[in-house]
Amino acid sequence: MASLLRPLYWTIWASPRRRAQKLLQFAEVEAEGGRDLVRASELTVDPVLRRLFLAHARDEERHARMFRSRGLALGVGMPPRAGNTMFDWISPGERGLDDLRIKDEHLGSLLAFIHLSESAAARDFAEYSSVLGHDPLTRSLFDHIGRDEEHHMRYSLAQLRRVASGGSRALLWKARLRRLWKAYLRLASAIAGIMSTVLLTIQYFVLLPPFALLAKFAMRREQPGWTVLPPALDSKSGREF
Amino acid sequence: MIRKRSRIERQLIIFGSAFGTTAELVRGTWRSGSGRKWMIPLIIFLCLNGLLLTLAAGVEVLAPFVYSIF
Amino acid sequence: MKILGISAHYHDAAAALVIDGLPVAAVQEERFSRAKNDAAFPMAAIEWCLDQAGLEPEQLDAVVFYEQPALKFDRILTSSLRSFPHSWRSFPKAMKNMLGEKLWIRGIIASQLGVPGRKVLFSGHHMSHAAASFLTAPCGEAAILTADGVGEWATMTIGAGQKGKDHATSIKLIRELRFPHSLGLFYSAFTAFLGFAVNEGEYKVMGLAAYGVPNRVDDVYQVIQRTADGALELDLRYFDFHSRAETSFSKRFTDLFGPPRNPNEPIDLASQDGRRFVDIAASAQRVLEDILVDIAQALHRETGFPDLCLGGGVALNGVANARLLAESGFERVSVPPAPGDAGCALGAALFADRIHFGQPHRDVPDHPFWGPGIEPADLLRLAREDDIPVEEVDEDALLSDIADALWQGAIVGWMDGALEFGPRALGHRSLLAAPHDAALRDRLNRDIKYREEFRPFAPVVTLEHAHRFFELAPGAERLGRFMSGVFPVRREWRERLAAVTHVDGTARVQVLDPPMAPRLARLLDLYGQRSGIPVLLNTSFNLAGEPIVNTVAEGYSTFRRSGIDLMVAGSICVRKGGQRHEALSEAAE
């Protein structure tokens, strides 16, 4: 699968502008992941995990700074881009903890999630590095961060085995299924987002024009400035309108 | 302690109360004195869209589609 | 009566509980979810408020939402129609937003809390702002001015309020300015133009303005004009917010003011572009102030009241507030600790109590500490588990030690009692430092707050000493109570208060009335005995991008991750000795 996507990755990472934008996005995701881990460290009662989560969070914050600094260096003089493109989900960065509700997570499932998330990131970053021969600085950034992600994979797995003892495999499978579910949610949301935009845009152009005409006429009657509120305004009503 | 309700239960409650909200919106537009009574058919149409989708969103597998559509 | 107020879904969601006319709890959702400015339905905040009072949702007499969603839908739909066909991109987004969730608030509240729909009430957005400001202010009658981006239709209202012990409390909104003409959205457009996040970066524009010269005022008056009746009107050709969701200003705006700032690039004051940005910030700020002062002067003439209560996000502009106090004719200007949308949760609950149900007025305690308290023992446990020096010390020795540490240049994380409601840390979740050393300010920016160097830090000083260091106009103590006014630092003290004096010689000073935060007041005295200056730098206890800390565990993790030297929670104190950050391999041992 990875080799099939290689030409696509190459295309995505070829343009300095897109490279800059993606690195800045990765910086945000890493920072977000760092905050999730800080939250996990604040909530856990296990002192070893608290220290590990904090150290991991610091790594993520450092990665965020590195991605950001490289992204800014690549993007000097380029105007910022608004909105997302298709390439954003074809070539993801680390997905943080997949919008996990840290507070509601069992320690074992949280560690399983971290392990899988870091594995995926390490794999992806290795792929990106392989198509970045033309940009040694960005390539070495991915190599460096990729190595960190491997450390994160290892510690999370070791801790998962400690915390869940015999149940770690089951937790990993459960986490894989949940990641699949979340992937479905992302895909479904993306498709539905497109469908809804198309449907509402059709409604907009088919249904709205006569109403828009009336609204524009009505607007002309309105005076600028203050609107005096009637003394009998029913401010006590508690109604929705 | 607030009792947690299932998604379908919550969506049914929202669906049930949405008629009242739509009625209040229509009544408000009618009485507002802003001269925009002609908006009422459009408001009803859009609210009906919203109502149907609110009901459909109770089914979890469909929820991402439904929530994103509206 | 037991009334729950809720604000949600736009920015900074919150819940507040009022029982028998008095607040018992109020807190923003972000303090629990740890997502800054969290706008989600504030379930955790609601649960905490109810737990605090030992209530079940069924025992509530009413749940009040802070605005009228159906009226808001009317405005959004009407605006889409008016700007047809330019609104074709924003229409799908707006409809998804409203019809997917935000229109059905009655149902959402009923389904989440299990209360019957008939118990769910609604207060107008600006009425909630007005109530949050007037009903918590220590005055019997006052003029009221609210201004923000937009609520339902209103973007600004003026009115008057009277409190009665005999069921006669009233808030009368006399006039309103309607969308799209908005002082808040005007300022937000400049915020976006200057490369800051709308609804979050407005105070950065205010800070930046001090570096500039207001030499573009005439240009700014091209985009915002005064109307014959004393209100204002935006020239919509310069704005895009009414037809597009992504941008606030149009091409015509950039033709007038030049290209917008790239948010990723720092502002270089030595460059031509840097000068342009700060001058534009100064000009927009000047126009905002001039318009507010003019409207307030007219309101003073109309009502004749000595007090003005301000509400809405615009009331967070401390520079404008100080000018209002100095020039509007009002003797006192009151701004609540949470004048923005979060504060509307409390405003809506008080509105329902006093106005909707007609309950007699009761004076609301004049402090911002309505959130969760702390468990100092947690700090003892956490630090011991991590082998960090920790001590439990008696009050006198503790405060004395901290004063010594501050005098020696330490940055102190300070947690004491209940959490503040609103965006400001007012002495219960603060980072404290000596105010004299600009290098310390830079360290705070670099190692802890990670923020732009043009943003000033605020000082805190007790009421007794405030006039010695700051030029406080009559009535400024009221504005300074919740850090809502910016005032000049006396010239002779500016050098010795370098860390808290902005480039224009001003400071957003907190004037502390000792009974409000007695431990902090004692610490100020002890610090004053050592330094001769009983003033401290006071900034919120959080890192960049994070909400103010709530629990001791959050304070501790902030302490561990940053350059804070010492942290205090109640009588427990931890110090950073020679520890350095652990790498992963060390942490596992």
Side-chain angles (χ1 to χ4, degrees):
Chain A
M1 181 68 182
S3 55
L4 287 176
L5 287 173
R6 215 179 133 87
L8 191 61
Y9 288 151
W10 190 90
T11 315
I12 292 168
W13 291 97
S15 142
R17 182 193 173 84
R18 202 175 295 133
R19 218 150 58 228
Q21 285 160 352
K22 289 210 71 70
L23 293 176
L24 290 174
Q25 283 169 7
F26 287 6
E28 280 170 31
V29 177
E30 292 279 331
E32 191 60 41
R35 280 195 279 274
D36 284 342
L37 286 157
V38 167
R39 190 70 190 135
S41 83
E42 289 163 356
L43 293 170
T44 184
V45 290
D46 183 324
V48 174
L49 280 179
R50 184 171 58 248
R51 286 195 288 271
L52 282 165
F53 286 153
L54 262 185
H56 186 170
R58 274 195 291 268
D59 280 353
E60 302 288 310
E61 284 159 14
R62 183 165 48 82
H63 296 168
R65 284 196 298 276
M66 290 162 78
F67 274 134
R68 184 171 164 77
S69 137
R70 182 69 192 136
L72 289 178
L74 281 169
V76 169
M78 296 177 189
R81 185 198 65 173
N84 296 334
T85 71
M86 184 180 69
F87 292 118
D88 294 340
W89 56 271
I90 291 177
S91 173
E94 189 176 348
R95 284 207 188 279
L97 296 180
D98 271 334
D99 299 328
L100 221 54
R101 293 176 65 87
I102 301 287
K103 199 172 172 226
D104 304 331
E105 274 317 305
H106 179 268
L107 210 48
S109 25
L110 178 62
L111 283 162
F113 239 95
I114 292 174
H115 174 70
L116 294 179
S117 175
E118 298 295 324
S119 315
R123 206 169 43 240
D124 288 344
F125 290 168
E127 289 294 331
Y128 304 154
S129 165
S130 72
V131 296
L132 278 164
H134 56 288
D135 181 352
L137 282 177
T138 308
R139 180 181 203 160
S140 77
L141 176 68
F142 276 122
D143 290 343
H144 178 95
I145 295 177
R147 278 194 296 277
D148 281 352
E149 308 296 25
E150 283 165 16
H151 288 309
H152 299 156
M153 272 166 64
R154 282 197 288 276
Y155 99 80
S156 49
L157 188 61
Q159 292 303 317
L160 173 62
R161 285 178 179 145
R162 177 176 73 85
V163 169
S165 51
S168 61
R169 283 172 68 89
L171 282 170
L172 279 171
W173 274 109
K174 204 172 144 195
R176 280 190 191 101
L177 291 174
R178 284 179 66 192
R179 276 173 66 88
L180 264 178
W181 172 245
K182 282 174 184 293
Y184 159 73
L185 292 185
R186 276 195 294 274
L187 181 70
S189 299
I191 295 169
I194 294 167
M195 278 164 52
S196 64
T197 304
V198 170
L199 280 172
L200 284 161
T201 307
I202 292 170
Q203 285 185 7
Y204 181 85
F205 284 110
V206 173
L207 268 180
L208 263 60
F211 294 99
L213 206 62
L214 289 166
K216 283 172 194 277
F217 278 128
M219 187 169 66
R220 284 190 200 149
R221 289 197 300 269
E222 286 180 10
Q223 297 298 314
W226 293 116
T227 299
V228 177
L229 299 171
L233 180 73
D234 190 8
S235 63
K236 290 186 180 181
S237 71
R239 290 203 192 107
E240 293 171 78
F241 193 101
Chain B
M1 190 69 186
I2 300 172
R3 187 171 73 85
K4 299 277 183 287
R5 286 165 181 75
S6 69
R7 176 194 290 271
I8 196 147
E9 201 181 343
R10 288 201 310 268
Q11 292 303 130
L12 281 172
I13 294 172
I14 294 172
F15 181 78
S17 80
F19 292 97
T21 298
T22 306
E24 213 164 295
L25 179 51
V26 169
R27 193 170 48 230
T29 309
W30 183 263
R31 289 179 181 168
S32 71
S34 59
R36 292 201 303 271
K37 291 188 174 75
W38 44 265
M39 270 174 61
I40 289 173
L42 181 62
I43 288 170
I44 293 173
F45 174 80
L46 290 170
C47 284
L48 280 177
N49 277 346
L51 276 169
L52 288 174
L53 288 156
T54 302
L55 191 63
V59 185
E60 192 158 12
V61 180
L62 290 179
F65 279 102
V66 173
Y67 274 134
S68 299
I69 286 176
F70 277 92
Chain C
M1 297 197 83
K2 302 173 189 71
I3 300 169
L4 179 73
I6 296 173
S7 77
H9 287 159
Y10 291 92
H11 38 90
D12 219 4
L17 183 64
V18 168
I19 298 182
D20 296 333
L22 291 180
V24 294
V27 65
Q28 289 131 281
E29 182 70 4
E30 63 161 25
R31 307 290 159 92
F32 295 103
S33 70
R34 309 307 299 158
K36 198 169 170 68
N37 296 328
D38 193 349
F41 188 78
M43 209 54 204
I46 291 169
E47 281 193 308
W48 179 79
C49 287
L50 294 179
D51 282 352
Q52 183 72 356
L55 288 180
E56 297 293 329
E58 305 82 65
Q59 294 172 275
L60 292 167
D61 295 293
V63 181
V64 194
F65 193 68
Y66 81 121
E67 64 180 14
Q68 295 167 289
L71 191 55
K72 188 158 200 151
F73 180 76
D74 174 64
R75 188 258 297 167
I76 289 169
L77 184 57
T78 306
S79 303
S80 289
L81 292 171
R82 285 177 177 179
S83 47
F84 186 92
H86 304 291
S87 54
W88 71 278
R89 278 200 199 91
S90 65
F91 177 77
K93 280 185 189 156
M95 287 302 116
K96 283 185 217 178
N97 220 336
M98 286 305 294
L99 296 171
E101 189 174 30
K102 294 177 181 173
L103 181 58
W104 317 118
I105 294 293
R106 188 188 294 276
I108 288 171
I109 292 175
S111 71
Q112 292 283 3
L113 302 190
V115 295
R118 65 184 156 73
K119 280 193 180 179
V120 180
L121 304 173
F122 299 86
S123 160
H125 184 108
H126 280 259
M127 178 58 86
S128 300
H129 279 313
S133 182
F134 173 64
L135 296 175
T136 60
C139 55
E141 52 189 17
I144 299 169
L145 171 57
T146 67
D148 67 1
V150 60
E152 296 90 359
W153 273 102
T155 64
M156 179 188 276
T157 61
I158 59 171
Q162 285 186 311
K163 293 169 187 166
K165 303 276 182 201
D166 53 349
H167 298 217
T169 297
S170 74
I171 295 177
K172 174 78 194 113
L173 298 181
I174 306 164
R175 285 189 289 278
E176 69 181 23
L177 185 68
R178 289 188 176 173
F179 183 85
H181 306 292
S182 162
L183 202 52
L185 291 175
F186 152 81
Y187 204 71
S188 291
F190 280 94
T191 303
F193 176 82
L194 292 168
F196 305 119
V198 169
N199 287 333
E200 205 183 315
E202 279 76 2
Y203 59 99
K204 296 183 187 178
V205 178
M206 188 183 83
L208 198 62
Y211 288 85
V213 179
N215 54 12
R216 305 290 299 271
V217 165
D218 289 344
D219 288 337
V220 176
Y221 271 120
Q222 281 195 47
V223 309
I224 187 168
Q225 286 127 28
R226 305 304 305 280
T227 53
D229 61 356
L232 60 97
E233 186 178 22
L234 299 184
D235 185 336
L236 295 176
R237 293 173 302 168
Y238 290 95
F239 297 92
D240 256 354
F241 61 76
H242 54 294
S243 57
R244 296 180 64 179
E246 304 85 13
T247 53
S248 310
F249 51 88
S250 69
K251 184 177 172 300
R252 201 182 181 96
F253 191 99
T254 52
D255 289 344
L256 180 63
F257 292 109
R261 183 175 85 85
N262 182 339
N264 293 324
E265 287 172 8
I267 295 175
D268 176 9
L269 291 174
S271 73
Q272 204 179 351
D273 252 1
R275 293 299 321 163
R276 176 169 67 90
F277 292 131
V278 294
D279 290 345
I280 290 171
S283 306
Q285 172 68 24
R286 171 65 62 85
V287 169
L288 174 103
E289 291 168 23
D290 288 348
I291 292 175
L292 275 176
V293 166
D294 190 51
I295 288 172
Q297 282 171 343
L299 182 60
H300 182 249
R301 285 194 298 272
E302 186 174 346
T303 62
F305 293 136
D307 282 277
L308 172 66
C309 291
L310 281 179
V314 175
L316 284 164
N317 194 309
V319 178
N321 294 346
R323 271 196 65 192
L324 281 171
L325 177 67
E327 299 175 35
S328 66
F330 289 101
E331 290 169 26
R332 285 171 298 275
V333 175
S334 291
V335 177
D341 281 5
C344 285
L346 182 57
L350 289 171
F351 159 82
D353 185 77
R354 310 288 201 276
I355 316 271
H356 183 82
F357 292 113
Q359 296 294 303
H361 176 76
R362 293 182 69 185
D363 288 334
V364 172
D366 199 12
H367 66 72
F369 306 120
W370 299 111
I374 52 167
E375 294 287 344
D378 288 349
L379 184 56
L380 204 60
R381 177 182 57 82
L382 290 165
R384 279 181 180 156
E385 284 174 356
D386 288 350
D387 290 328
I388 289 189
V390 59
E391 49 192 355
E392 185 165 11
V393 197
D394 74 70
E395 180 77 355
D396 289 341
L398 178 77
L399 293 180
S400 191
D401 278 359
I402 299 168
D404 285 336
L406 286 164
W407 177 227
Q408 284 154 18
I411 294 171
V412 175
W414 173 264
M415 299 183 78
D416 182 28
L419 176 69
E420 293 91 343
F421 182 46
R424 313 258 194 248
L426 295 166
H428 279 193
R429 299 291 187 279
S430 291
L431 291 178
L432 304 173
H436 60 274
D437 190 357
L440 194 65
R441 175 196 62 202
D442 296 340
R443 179 156 86 88
L444 201 50
N445 261 332
R446 192 187 59 238
D447 296 345
I448 299 170
K449 302 293 276 191
Y450 314 116
R451 59 189 214 177
E452 300 90 343
E453 59 190 28
F454 61 80
R455 287 170 55 194
F457 285 106
V460 55
V461 61
T462 54
L463 201 50
E464 182 190 353
H465 297 290
H467 287 272
R468 192 173 139 211
F469 301 99
F470 303 96
E471 290 174 28
L472 299 178
E477 297 86 356
R478 181 71 221 155
L479 266 185
R481 188 176 180 88
F482 302 135
M483 226 187 242
S484 306
V486 173
F487 299 99
V489 179
R490 289 195 185 279
R491 200 165 287 279
E492 62 272 28
W493 289 104
R494 284 181 191 172
E495 218 167 287
R496 277 179 284 178
L497 291 173
V500 293
T501 303
H502 200 24
V503 64
D504 59 353
T506 62
R508 184 160 52 84
V509 57
Q510 180 189 357
V511 181
L512 182 67
D513 184 12
M516 192 174 101
R519 291 185 85 216
L520 180 59
R522 282 199 60 209
L523 181 63
L524 279 164
D525 281 343
L526 290 169
Y527 178 77
Q529 285 167 19
R530 283 150 182 79
S531 66
I533 306 176
V535 179
L536 284 171
L537 179 156
N538 175 17
T539 185
S540 52
F541 195 164
N542 63 331
L543 303 186
E546 297 178 11
I548 295 177
V549 299
N550 173 13
T551 64
V552 164
E554 289 152 19
Y556 177 74
S557 98
T558 306
F559 164 75
R560 292 293 311 272
R561 287 180 291 136
S562 65
I564 299 169
D565 300 299
L566 190 150
M567 178 187 162
V568 184
S571 58
I572 312 293
C573 174
V574 290
R575 283 165 206 275
K576 225 172 258 166
Q579 301 100 340
R580 56 188 176 78
H581 293 324
E582 286 174 319
L584 259 183
S585 52
E586 296 164 312
E589 285 161 9

